[in-house]
Amino acid sequence: MVLETSPYKVFAGSKGNAIAQRICEQLGCSLGKVNVDRFSDGEFAVSFDESVRGQSVYLVQSTCPSSDNLMELLLMIDAAKRASAYKVIAVIPYFGWARQDRKDKPRVSIGAKVVANMLQGAGADRIITVDLHADQIQGFFDIPVDHLFGSNVLAPYVASLKLENLIIASPDVGGSKRASSFAKKIHEITGHEVPMVICYKSRPNFNQISEMRVLGDVKDMDVVIVDDIVDTAGTLCKAAKVMKENGARSVRAILSHGVMSGPADQRIGESELTELVFTDSIPYDTNRCSKVHIVSLAWTIAETIKAIQEHRSVSEVNHS
């Protein structure tokens, strides 16, 4: 007698367990069992507690700091390949090292390319990720990359706020394309055109801003700043302050990835921001800051998995 089994299974690493549970709820399946055994010297080993032979295996893990999270994902990929999985798909809601996407000065590494090489070398057959810091990182891979957009869940949330004088803002010139796409998404949902402004900033070093000013009029407007990552929150808080100084009625920030390192929680709490909204790509305890609101990516990722399994176009559920 042959027992029927699901054609795919979903497993999670330490930093992917919470969102993986939500993805499985959307898919109507159980989260697979995986063990991470740690040794006293900090080394760890990964093993699956159930068979994956002949199945498509989805491994959910964000590669945010520390580097243990990336290593854990690499070992999971290797374990699945050695257990005769049919396909191994790495679901990486937050792709770490993505800010190192080019040589912007002499003698520096391109971290995003190094990570791409390691994922492919470990045996990944496909990558699912959300809002890469730079679109061209997809070109670092020689395997399919499904690049999902956080705006699919964040834009409906902003639309639900029904802000009277909504205006979208980019925190820098480089993010203007992302902000413009977000404004178009809001237009699709509400049917109303949404204006946009840009913040100009000069940054002498990482996480340092020497000057910022607004290109556009925000007087009496409800400003929504759109970006991909909030790390130490220095840029966001500075932008919110500048918006208020220029007459904005309210300022919110909408981002895909809440890294929230160092002084970020305190800065956000003391800032001019009414609200900071980001996805659950990285685990975050909202008790750390009362201004933070989380929107889940689970539906978007689950629908992407369904599309892949049913050999449908992923663009049916994902568009900018």
Side-chain angles (χ1 to χ4, degrees):
M1 178 179 176
V2 179
L3 296 176
E4 291 188 5
T5 59
S6 171
Y8 67 90
K9 287 185 178 180
V10 180
F11 296 89
S14 301
K15 284 291 184 181
N17 191 68
I19 188 171
Q21 290 281 4
R22 299 183 190 108
I23 292 169
C24 286
E25 288 174 9
Q26 294 287 333
L27 291 171
C29 68
S30 299
L31 183 62
K33 297 177 182 178
V34 60
N35 276 330
V36 180
D37 297 314
R38 295 188 176 273
F39 304 105
S40 59
D41 64 351
E43 186 178 320
F44 54 88
V46 171
S47 61
F48 295 101
D49 275 356
E50 53 194 89
S51 175
V52 296
R53 182 177 294 274
Q55 294 177 312
S56 294
V57 176
Y58 292 84
L59 305 175
V60 184
Q61 173 81 319
S62 284
T63 57
C64 47
S66 70
S67 55
D68 279 5
N69 296 312
L70 172 59
M71 191 64 192
E72 192 176 298
L73 176 58
L74 294 171
L75 292 178
M76 288 171 67
I77 293 169
D78 183 70
K81 295 296 284 190
R82 294 179 188 278
S84 300
Y86 171 61
K87 294 285 186 182
V88 179
I89 300 94
V91 181
I92 310 173
Y94 172 70
F95 188 95
W97 286 272
R99 285 174 282 184
Q100 300 177 45
D101 63 320
R102 66 194 185 282
K103 282 191 70 175
D104 55 355
K105 60 182 180 181
R107 299 174 296 280
V108 297
S109 64
I110 303 179
K113 174 59 176 171
V114 174
V115 173
N117 289 345
M118 287 193 290
L119 290 166
Q120 292 177 126
D125 295 295
R126 191 182 195 111
I127 303 293
I128 298 174
T129 191
V130 180
D131 280 338
L132 289 166
H133 186 64
D135 290 344
Q136 65 265 23
I137 291 173
Q138 297 171 78
F140 293 168
F141 290 91
D142 295 319
I143 56 177
V145 177
D146 295 302
H147 187 207
L148 310 184
F149 300 105
S151 59
N152 288 322
V153 295
L154 293 169
Y157 175 78
V158 172
S160 73
L161 298 175
K162 298 180 179 178
L163 298 171
E164 218 173 290
N165 297 303
L166 174 63
I167 189 169
I168 300 298
S170 171
D172 53 37
V173 175
S176 59
K177 179 182 175 182
R178 180 180 297 107
S180 177
S181 295
F182 197 91
K184 289 177 183 176
K185 190 82 172 179
I186 296 291
H187 178 227
E188 289 175 12
I189 296 169
T190 65
H192 301 297
E193 292 284 351
V194 182
M196 194 179 90
V197 297
I198 298 172
C199 289
Y200 171 79
K201 67 181 179 184
S202 58
R203 188 193 291 273
N205 296 300
F206 289 123
N207 299 325
Q208 291 183 15
I209 301 170
S210 61
E211 179 190 12
M212 180 178 284
R213 60 179 183 268
V214 182
L215 305 180
D217 185 12
V218 295
K219 185 174 175 58
D220 297 324
M221 302 297 285
D222 295 303
V223 180
V224 172
I225 302 170
V226 176
D227 207 352
D228 63 328
I229 298 171
V230 53
D231 188 355
T232 60
T235 297
L236 274 187
C237 294
K238 178 74 172 177
K241 183 179 179 182
V242 171
M243 295 294 177
K244 278 287 192 175
E245 289 173 349
N246 280 265
R249 183 165 63 179
S250 68
V251 185
R252 287 173 172 80
I254 309 292
L255 306 103
S256 296
H257 310 297
V259 177
M260 297 295 281
S261 66
D265 293 319
Q266 183 178 351
R267 283 177 173 173
I268 294 297
E270 296 173 354
S271 73
E272 298 282 357
L273 287 169
T274 301
E275 187 178 34
L276 172 62
V277 183
F278 49 77
T279 73
D280 54 355
S281 63
I282 300 173
Y284 181 83
D285 182 359
T286 52
N287 290 323
R288 287 168 50 183
C289 180
S290 60
K291 290 186 178 182
V292 170
H293 179 81
I294 307 291
V295 178
S296 182
L297 290 164
W299 180 87
T300 298
I301 295 175
E303 290 299 311
T304 300
I305 291 173
K306 288 179 185 177
I308 292 170
Q309 288 301 124
E310 295 167 5
H311 306 290
R312 292 186 286 109
S313 172
V314 171
S315 62
E316 291 178 11
V317 295
N318 178 63
H319 59 280
S320 61

